[in-house]
Amino acid sequence: MTPGFSQWMNGHGPEGEIVLSSRIRLARNLAGVPFPHRMDDQQGQHMLEQVEHAVGQVEPGWGIRFRQLDSLTPLERQLLMEKHLVSPLLIQNPIRYESVALDERESISIMVNEEDHLRIQVLLPGLQLDEAWQAANRLDDALEQHLDFAYDESRGYLTAWPTNLGTGLRASVMLHLPGLVMTRQASQVFTTLAQVGIVVRGLYGEGSEALGNIFQISNQVSLGLTEEELVHNLTVVAQQIVGRERNARQHLMSSAGLALADRVGRSWGILTNARVMTSDEALKLLSDVQLGSDLNLLEGPLPCTFSQLTLMTRPAYLQIEAGRELSPVERDQIRAQTLRRHLLGKD
């Protein structure tokens, strides 16, 4: 496996300077089969075979291929998580009937036997929740022609967690919000979101930190509204946050432009000259530099998107690119070297 970049990291989507990605995830389970945490090995293997057959029936148009997780190295599994293609939970202790199916562009991911039998995910760059929903819905419909999903007339799709009952849909948007953080508005905004049923999480979802001023927002429940209503509501919220972030950035430029330019310049200087760098420091500095690029405080655009640069700081990416396992000290050295090479265009 080579590190590479997923298509959602290309930065070409709407509102791409603030919205890094849009994701739709559908939780589905097969009727008459215990949830993954209650399955035995035989049931799990049979379930996986049914899903593989169903995916094969919707080929070749989707271009989806399975990867058995227990056949991948720990670093390869971690890289899939760093790309947001699988959840941290799925790669913790993979067993032979846990799997992931990906398309060639790594825009589609089907996690098999995580908390639910299937978690169908579509990832797109920028603010494209509706487009992601349309793609996920088409794939869901195609799979449902060959799989009997557990469904109740009053409760909707049956899922392992009650919060996913109903549509089984989780819509999420990943945002870069340095302006709101620097102007100390982020906490207030996030409190308001919680009051309207929007959850705010960190870089890798539930239980993760908001590194590099990157936050994920998503709907809290999926019961009681249609899929279109859930997608529309989160799109409206995301647009409002984008507006708040733009205003915060303009406020910083007008009220503290020199200090901001100095901060961006110092971060650029460290990134392009440091010989050792931790992952947390790298993301903090990259956030500053990306903000500076967005506000034209740097000469010319950055050679890579913020999402691509973020991936370059991650442990599995660095080790797979190096072709070997690295000690923490070696990772810090190669991280600094990798960022210097890409930022200065000496690839």
Side-chain angles (χ1 to χ4, degrees), residues 89-270:
L89 177 64
L90 190 64
I91 66 169
Q92 282 179 0
N93 296 295
I95 49 183
R96 59 189 176 88
Y97 53 81
E98 291 179 341
S99 186
V100 63
L102 305 170
D103 72 334
E104 295 178 355
R105 300 176 300 174
E106 296 184 338
S107 296
I108 295 171
S109 166
I110 304 174
M111 290 178 277
V112 182
N113 286 328
E114 192 225 34
E115 288 180 336
D116 294 289
H117 294 151
L118 288 86
R119 288 199 165 178
I120 303 165
Q121 174 180 282
V122 174
L123 265 169
L124 295 178
L127 186 55
Q128 299 192 78
L129 279 176
D130 187 61
E131 291 82 354
W133 154 241
Q134 296 299 331
N137 188 40
R138 289 195 301 273
L139 180 55
D140 180 46
D141 287 346
L143 291 174
E144 200 163 13
Q145 297 298 312
H146 308 280
L147 296 171
D148 182 16
F149 290 147
Y151 186 84
D152 181 85
E153 289 297 329
S154 61
R155 297 180 179 88
Y157 288 100
L158 303 182
T159 56
W161 284 94
T163 51
N164 291 322
L165 278 172
T167 63
L169 182 146
R170 177 64 58 86
S172 64
V173 176
M174 187 157 55
L175 303 123
H176 181 221
L177 304 175
L180 290 178
V181 172
M182 289 182 191
T183 57
R184 302 187 179 183
Q185 299 179 62
S187 178
Q188 177 189 359
V189 170
F190 297 158
T191 298
T192 302
L193 292 179
Q195 295 170 352
V196 296
I198 301 297
V199 178
V200 181
R201 296 188 170 98
L203 180 58
Y204 293 108
E206 188 171 0
S208 64
E209 297 180 77
L211 302 172
N213 298 315
I214 299 172
F215 302 88
Q216 293 191 55
I217 63 168
S218 61
N219 57 299
Q220 190 167 23
V221 296
S222 62
L223 182 65
L225 295 173
T226 67
E227 292 91 344
E228 289 78 11
E229 288 171 331
L230 290 167
V231 169
H232 173 75
N233 291 347
L234 191 65
T235 299
V236 170
V237 169
Q239 289 169 336
Q240 291 172 345
I241 295 175
V242 168
R244 292 285 295 269
E245 172 66 18
R246 284 211 177 96
N247 290 338
R249 294 182 181 192
Q250 291 306 312
H251 175 74
L252 285 170
M253 286 291 289
S254 61
S255 64
L258 180 60
L260 181 60
D262 182 68
R263 175 170 173 166
V264 170
R266 288 173 184 270
S267 294
W268 175 263
I270 295 172

Side-chain angles (χ1 to χ4, degrees), residues 37-109:
H37 68 282
R38 299 289 300 274
M39 289 191 307
D40 59 32
D41 287 356
Q42 184 177 1
Q43 290 170 324
Q45 187 60 37
H46 180 61
M47 214 288 304
L48 175 59
E49 290 170 0
Q50 290 185 72
V51 174
E52 288 179 337
H53 175 75
V55 170
Q57 295 302 304
V58 303
E59 289 292 338
W62 292 92
I64 300 170
R65 298 290 182 270
F66 273 89
R67 298 184 186 182
Q68 199 81 15
L69 290 177
D70 64 353
S71 68
L72 301 178
T73 68
L75 284 178
E76 288 172 335
R77 294 195 294 268
Q78 187 177 347
L79 179 63
L80 292 175
M81 187 272 290
E82 291 176 354
K83 291 182 172 184
H84 299 271
L85 302 176
V86 300
S87 66
L89 177 64
L90 190 64
I91 66 169
Q92 282 179 0
N93 296 295
I95 49 183
R96 59 189 176 88
Y97 53 81
E98 291 179 341
S99 186
V100 63
L102 305 170
D103 72 334
E104 295 178 355
R105 300 176 300 174
E106 296 184 338
S107 296
I108 295 171
S109 166

Side-chain angles (χ1 to χ4, degrees), residues 274-295:
R275 264 48 184 178
V276 177
M277 186 168 295
T278 66
S279 58
D280 286 1
E281 181 186 19
L283 285 178
K284 175 180 176 296
L285 297 172
L286 284 171
S287 176
D288 290 345
V289 165
Q290 183 61 52
L291 176 62
S293 177
D294 293 338
L295 296 175

